[in-house]
């Protein structure tokens, strides 16, 4: 699964709104996306095509209607990416606290050395 394609597909506000509705409702008829997104049916169709080609959604025809749902593999990959980013941010934050604590100590050490005539 190509992470870049998934992220590019989700980087557009209308497509993100479509995916959020699918995440909330589980399955949505193509005709119902115009309400959530405030765009015309041809525009919705274009966005659904982009999401389908990126592997984010899948569809099923039922008579004249097409129903869409999130693709489980894409949802799992996005969850994994979110987990990796969150873990990285937590490590960075922990290092930041450590660095911040050390930076607070440095001025005291320099001042102490100056007072003692060692600096």
């Amino acid at each position: 699964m190509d992470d870049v394609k998934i992220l590019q597909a989700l980087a557009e506000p209308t497509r993100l709104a479509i995916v959020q509705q699918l995440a909330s409702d589980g399955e949505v008829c193509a005709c119902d996306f115009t309400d959530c997104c405030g765009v015309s049916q041809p525009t919705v169709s274009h966005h659904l095509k982009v999401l389908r080609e990126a592997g984010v959604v899948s569809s099923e025809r039922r008579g004249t209607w097409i129903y869409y749902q999130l693709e489980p593999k894409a949802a799992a990959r996005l969850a994994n990416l979110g987990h990796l980013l969150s873990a990285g941010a937590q490590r960075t934050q922990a290092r930041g606290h450590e660095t911040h604590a050390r930076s607070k100590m440095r001025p005291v050490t320099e001042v102490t050395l100056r007072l003692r005539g060692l600096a």
Side-chain angles (χ1 to χ4, degrees):
M1 182 135 311
D2 190 350
D3 295 341
V4 173
K5 283 184 182 178
I6 292 172
L7 293 172
Q8 284 176 330
L10 294 176
E12 201 284 328
T14 301
R15 292 193 287 267
L16 183 58
I18 288 170
V19 169
Q20 288 172 327
Q21 184 172 353
L22 287 170
S24 172
D25 298 348
E27 183 178 74
V28 178
C29 179
C31 62
D32 293 330
F33 287 117
T34 55
D35 293 336
C36 88
C37 304
V39 294
S40 67
Q41 187 60 48
T43 302
V44 168
S45 295
H46 164 74
H47 289 304
L48 288 168
K49 178 183 176 193
V50 171
L51 290 167
R52 205 173 42 251
E53 289 174 350
V56 177
V57 300
S58 57
S59 60
E60 178 184 333
R61 182 175 287 281
R62 297 182 196 156
T64 58
W65 305 109
I66 300 175
Y67 287 83
Y68 286 84
Q69 57 275 334
L70 287 177
E71 189 59 48
K73 289 180 185 177
R77 188 63 199 140
L78 284 167
N80 189 43
L81 284 170
H83 176 73
L84 289 171
L85 291 171
S86 178
Q90 289 173 358
R91 283 192 301 274
T92 300
Q93 185 178 20
R95 276 190 237 123
H97 288 304
E98 191 177 290
T99 302
H100 183 67
R102 276 187 273 155
S103 70
K104 283 185 172 180
M105 295 167 72
R106 283 189 187 128
V108 172
T109 304
E110 290 173 17
V111 168
T112 303
L113 290 173
R114 282 190 196 124
L115 290 172
R116 292 182 183 168
L118 301 173

